[in-house]
Amino acid sequence: MAGKLYLCATPIGNLEDITCRVLRTLKEVDLIAAEDTRNSIKLLNHFEIKTPMTSYHEYNKIEKAYQLVDKLREGKDIALITDAGTPGISDPGEDLVRICYEEGIEVTSLPGAAACITALTMSGLPTRRFAFEAFLPREKKERAAILQELKDETRTIIIYEAPHHLVKTLEELYDTLGDRQISICRELTKHYEEKMRTTLSDSLAYYKENDPRGEYVLVIHGKTFEELAEEARKSWEDMSLEEHMQVYESKGTPRKEAMKLVAKDRGMSKRDVYQALLKEE
C-alpha cells in the first residue's frame, strides 16, 4: 500500500504557532522533505523531532519529486515543510503535489500559519475577496503585464516583497495603481512585529528615508466598483455619441440595442440618445 504525502504548515515566526497535529505527524512519518534542511533542523531540534530529513527545493523540485514519489510508492509516509508557513503557497511544493496526483499518490494538508492570511486579517482592508500575487515576477515584461492586470483589480491585493526590492516595488505600484490605501507588515508573529496602515505615496516616502529590513507583506486596497464605473463613464464622454454607437455596432449589435447600451453607459435615457444622434446627423 502506498504512503501519503502530508503538507505540514510550520510557524512563520513564533514557534508557538505550530499545531499539535503537525508535531505528531512530523514525529510519525518516515521522512521529512524540507525546503532548507539547515533552517528546518532548528525547528525539529526545538521540538525534539528525530525524523530523517531530505532537501526539496526550487533547484531540485522535479527530479527530487519523482524520487519522493518512489518512496511513497514503497509505502513510506512523507511530510513536506517549507522554511515558514504552508507548503505549496509560493514555493516548489505545488509541483510535488501535482506530480503526486499524476502518479496516484494520496495528498493531505495540515493547516496552520500563512503570512498572506495573517497580514490580510490584521490589515483593516476588505477581506471577503482578495487576490494573492506572492512575489511579483522579476522578468520585466511579465511584471509589467501583472501590474497592468492589478490596475483594475477590485479585490484586496496581497504581495510579498524582500527588503532590497521594496522601494522599487512601491514605486511601480504607485505609478500603476495610483495612490491606494496599503497595510505593510513585517516580522509577522515575532517580537518586533510591525504593521503600518498608510498610503502608497506615504509608504514610499517613508522607506526612502528608512532602510527596509525583514520580509514584507503588502496588503493593498482594490479599486472600487464605483471608481471603475466613473472611469468608464469618463472614457465614453471623450467619444461622440456616434463613435460610441460604432463601438457596439462594429460587434454586430443592432442599432436599437446599441442605443440602449450607450444610454446605460452614459447615464442617459434612450430617448435622449436618439434625439442627440439626430442632431449630430
Side-chain angles (χ1 to χ4, degrees):
M1 183 177 178
K4 184 187 294 188
L5 177 68
Y6 295 85
L7 308 178
C8 295
T10 54
I12 59 176
N14 192 317
L15 291 179
E16 293 180 2
D17 290 335
I18 199 164
T19 70
C20 295
R21 185 181 175 206
V22 166
L23 287 175
R24 175 177 56 78
T25 300
L26 292 177
K27 291 176 181 178
E28 292 178 353
V29 293
D30 299 292
L31 181 66
I32 297 172
E35 186 175 9
D36 186 339
T37 56
R38 296 166 300 177
N39 180 67
S40 296
I41 193 64
K42 300 172 187 175
L43 176 73
L44 300 191
N45 286 342
H46 180 82
F47 291 106
E48 300 181 349
I49 297 170
K50 307 299 183 183
T51 306
M53 263 197 306
T54 188
S55 64
Y56 179 77
H57 49 70
E58 183 65 29
Y59 303 104
N60 71 355
K61 62 183 182 181
I62 302 301
E63 179 185 1
K64 192 59 173 284
Y66 285 104
Q67 293 176 19
L68 293 174
V69 164
D70 287 341
K71 293 182 181 298
L72 288 159
R73 279 208 188 96
E74 293 170 4
K76 296 186 182 299
D77 289 327
I78 298 175
L80 177 67
I81 59 175
T82 184
D83 283 348
T86 301
I89 301 295
S90 189
D91 76 23
E94 66 175 303
D95 293 283
L96 178 56
V97 171
R98 172 179 54 80
I99 291 169
C100 279
Y101 275 106
E102 291 172 354
E103 299 295 324
I105 301 296
E106 186 178 356
V107 178
T108 189
S109 183
L110 281 59
C116 55
I117 298 300
T118 303
L120 175 65
T121 55
M122 68 170 67
S123 70
L125 298 176
T127 60
R128 189 178 69 85
R129 302 169 64 247
F130 61 92
F132 176 58
E133 283 295 331
F135 289 93
L136 292 173
R138 293 298 170 211
E139 197 278 318
K140 287 185 177 180
K141 287 186 178 180
E142 185 181 0
R143 187 180 181 91
I146 294 294
L147 286 167
Q148 281 301 313
E149 281 187 5
L150 294 178
K151 184 177 180 179
D152 290 330
E153 177 60 70
T154 57
R155 295 169 293 180
T156 299
I157 303 162
I158 306 173
I159 293 172
Y160 290 163
E161 194 50 277
H164 52 290
H165 292 303
L166 181 65
V167 171
K168 178 188 175 184
T169 295
L170 289 173
E171 287 176 337
E172 290 175 323
L173 289 167
Y174 177 75
D175 290 342
T176 307
L177 309 184
D179 207 7
R180 303 274 187 92
Q181 288 183 347
I182 182 172
S183 174
I184 301 180
C185 301
R186 63 177 291 271
E187 300 295 282
L188 284 170
T189 77
K190 298 178 183 177
H191 182 69
Y192 294 106
E193 175 182 278
E194 290 183 1
K195 291 92 61 181
M196 180 166 65
R197 175 74 181 273
T198 180
T199 61
L200 278 170
S201 59
D202 286 346
S203 66
L204 190 52
Y206 176 83
Y207 284 110
K208 283 183 175 179
E209 296 294 328
N210 300 272
D211 290 336
R213 295 180 180 178
E215 299 296 317
Y216 288 83
V217 183
L218 314 178
V219 186
I220 307 159
H221 204 299
K223 184 173 284 187
T224 67
F225 288 107
E226 291 75 16
E227 288 172 329
L228 281 176
E230 180 64 16
E231 288 174 4
R233 186 183 64 78
K234 287 181 178 178
S235 70
W236 295 127
E237 288 177 352
D238 291 336
M239 295 182 181
S240 69
L241 277 171
E242 191 56 51
E243 288 172 335
H244 196 162
M245 289 285 292
Q246 281 298 314
V247 170
Y248 290 112
E249 289 183 307
S250 65
K251 299 175 183 177
T253 305
R255 192 163 179 83
K256 285 187 177 181
E257 183 61 28
M259 283 187 192
K260 289 182 183 178
L261 295 171
V262 168
K264 182 179 180 181
D265 288 340
R266 293 180 176 246
M268 301 170 61
S269 70
K270 182 183 172 183
R271 179 182 177 83
D272 288 341
V273 171
Y274 176 73
Q275 292 296 332
L277 285 170
L278 288 178
K279 289 179 182 178
E280 286 188 11
E281 292 174 359

